[in-house]
Amino acid sequence: VVVSRTGYTGERVAYELFVHPDRSVELWKRILEVGEPLGVRPVGLGARDSLRTEAGLPLYGHEMAGPRNLGVGEAGFGSYVKPHKPWFIGRAAFLAQEERRKGEVARFRFDEKGVRMAHSGDPVVDPRGRVIGFVTSCAVDSEGYLLGQAFLEIKHTVEGTPIAVFQGAAKDAGKPPASLQIGDRTNVPTHATVLSRFPKA
């Protein structure tokens, strides 16, 4: 077994265990057996997703790369790349992407508890209803609010900016607003607020 302190959760102490596939079931059962008196119990990817989303960490295919081809800068990690270095693989591509970049991933939290889950691709609008981005991830935070990450136009990534999200946006248009009658239902966006890119220590 190789034990690495590279756990992808945003926790101060987190570990990954690397073990041969033939021994993984045995190790898993032994960890649960020995850890039971200490409160160790199995959790799924949802728990990891909550932690990493709350910490502002990207998931490949959501906040980086994926169908929208988000780069390092768009994911909010541009400051980690040192373009002053004379050469490194991908330098030209990074600089070109940064030159045309119009947005960045920001963390947000819904203003109220008990709202519907947002999903990757759900539209994000400003207070006037103009689409300014899309959700990349969303999960429940430690206080029971839905907290997510969204790719937004740069001017809307400032902490405290009010936004709204169309959770589970329908692909087909519903009734035109002028034809709505009493008792009809229509989708309205749910209010949220942009947080700092990463939690403050």
Side-chain angles (χ1 to χ4, degrees):
V1 175
V2 175
V3 179
S4 174
R5 193 177 161 183
T6 54
Y8 186 65
T9 63
E11 292 294 298
R12 290 182 186 215
V13 179
Y15 299 92
E16 289 180 289
L17 306 178
F18 299 88
V19 61
H20 192 281
D22 294 343
R23 306 294 303 274
S24 59
V25 173
E26 178 187 350
L27 176 64
W28 177 251
K29 288 179 178 177
R30 186 75 175 127
I31 288 171
L32 294 179
E33 177 188 326
V34 172
E36 186 176 11
L38 303 170
V40 172
R41 59 185 178 170
V43 296
L45 285 176
R48 188 257 357 230
D49 224 28
S50 290
L51 290 168
R52 71 117 190 137
T53 299
E54 196 170 356
L57 298 175
L59 180 63
Y60 191 81
H62 288 251
E63 286 77 32
M64 294 182 82
R68 298 184 191 256
N69 196 30
L70 297 180
V72 175
E74 290 163 320
F77 292 89
S79 64
Y80 291 85
V81 179
K82 306 303 179 200
H84 63 272
K85 291 184 176 180
W87 184 88
F88 56 84
I89 294 173
R91 181 180 186 277
F94 171 76
L95 292 174
Q97 198 166 36
E98 282 295 283
E99 192 171 316
R100 63 180 183 269
R101 179 163 66 92
K102 304 275 192 263
E104 188 170 303
V105 170
R107 288 187 323 134
F108 70 90
R109 184 162 90 162
F110 286 105
D111 296 343
E112 297 180 7
K113 293 182 180 180
V115 300
R116 286 180 296 132
M117 179 64 73
H119 297 93
S120 182
D122 284 348
V124 179
V125 296
D126 68 11
R128 295 180 176 219
R130 180 178 167 274
V131 177
I132 57 169
F134 54 87
V135 172
T136 56
S137 294
C138 189
V140 180
D141 72 10
S142 59
E143 295 178 9
Y145 287 87
L146 288 182
L147 183 145
Q149 297 184 73
F151 179 78
L152 304 175
E153 292 178 343
I154 289 175
K155 69 180 182 178
H156 298 285
T157 62
V158 178
E159 183 179 0
T161 300
I163 59 173
V165 179
F166 278 102
Q167 302 106 299
K171 298 222 182 285
D172 298 322
K175 281 185 177 181
S179 67
L180 291 172
Q181 298 177 11
I182 293 175
D184 286 344
R185 297 186 73 85
T186 185
N187 286 338
V188 293
T190 305
H191 296 287
T193 304
V194 173
L195 304 176
S196 61
R197 178 65 184 92
F198 303 103
K200 295 176 180 173

